[in-house]
């Protein structure tokens, strides 16, 4: 009887752990202007969500730098366009741009950075996306962000 209770308790603990939401994702970027994913899914049960960005290429950030910017889908291209004049030192983002929900810094070969967002500030009815704001990269380096 005790063995059965222990077994049931262990199964309950294990299944509870398996059902816990994953509130982070790792995204890799390369010298071929690509992210390893085209979609980031955020579980609505997460209070915060973290994106860890890695650059597995061999080129420096001034040549093939990448960042990851999260915004509403409709704001992606305007943010990238407005950020061109900001330069690499400002991560190719216009200072104080309220359309940017969160972003990493521009990173180069072997570097990493991360961003964390407050999930409660995302509207489930809105369409969100992510992109790289390095000049010209948004054409290939973008994807969707959805609450599930």
């Amino acid at each position: 009887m005790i063995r059965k209770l222990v077994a049931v308790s262990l199964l309950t603990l294990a299944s509870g752990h398996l059902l816990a939401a994953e509130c982070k994702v790792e995204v890799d970027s390369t010298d071929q202007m690509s992210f390893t994913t085209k979609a980031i899914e955020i579980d609505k049960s997460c209070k915060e969500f973290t994106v860890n960005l890695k650059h597995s290429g061999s080129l420096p950030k001034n040549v093939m730098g990448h960042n990851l910017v999260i915004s509403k889908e409709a704001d992606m291209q305007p943010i990238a366009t407005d950020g061109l004049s900001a330069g690499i030192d400002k991560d190719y983002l216009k200072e104080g741009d309220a359309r940017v929900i969160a972003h990493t810094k521009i990173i180069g070969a072997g570097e990493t950075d991360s961003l964390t967002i407050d999930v409660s500030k995302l509207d489930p009815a809105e369409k969100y996306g992510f992109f790289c704001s390095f000049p010209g990269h948004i054409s290939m380096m973008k994807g969707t962000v959805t609450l599930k």
Side-chain angles (χ1 to χ4, degrees):
M1 179 69 171
I2 291 177
R3 287 169 90 165
K4 282 184 182 177
L5 283 174
V6 170
V8 169
S9 296
L10 288 173
L11 281 173
T12 303
L13 284 172
S15 64
H17 180 69
L18 292 174
L19 296 175
E22 186 67 34
C23 296
K24 66 180 178 198
V25 68
E26 193 142 321
V27 178
D28 193 5
S29 58
T30 69
D31 288 342
Q32 287 72 44
M33 277 182 30
S34 66
F35 287 129
T36 53
T37 186
K38 294 282 185 202
I40 294 174
E41 292 185 344
I42 301 173
D43 193 295
K44 290 176 187 167
S45 69
C46 295
K47 289 185 182 1
E48 292 185 329
F49 190 84
T50 301
V51 178
N52 296 310
L53 178 66
K54 182 175 134 186
H55 192 311
S56 63
S58 59
L59 296 171
K61 73 179 185 179
N62 64 326
V63 175
M64 188 56 68
H66 303 307
N67 65 352
L68 193 142
V69 181
I70 296 178
S71 71
K72 292 179 180 176
E73 269 187 9
D75 292 335
M76 290 167 54
Q77 187 61 60
I79 291 168
T81 301
D82 291 348
L84 290 174
S85 60
I88 196 166
D89 292 337
K90 293 195 169 116
D91 302 310
Y92 293 106
L93 293 168
K94 186 173 82 174
E95 189 122 13
D97 193 332
R99 299 170 297 181
V100 174
I101 294 169
H103 71 91
T104 66
K105 65 184 181 183
I106 295 275
I107 59 173
E111 295 181 314
T112 61
D113 196 26
S114 64
L115 63 82
T116 300
I117 57 175
D118 179 346
V119 177
S120 70
K121 294 187 176 176
L122 299 178
D123 178 355
E126 185 64 62
K127 290 186 176 197
Y128 297 98
F130 68 94
F131 64 97
C132 175
S133 67
F134 193 94
H137 289 196
I138 191 172
S139 65
M140 295 175 62
M141 298 185 76
K142 61 185 172 186
T144 59
V145 176
T146 46
L147 269 72
K148 58 174 185 135

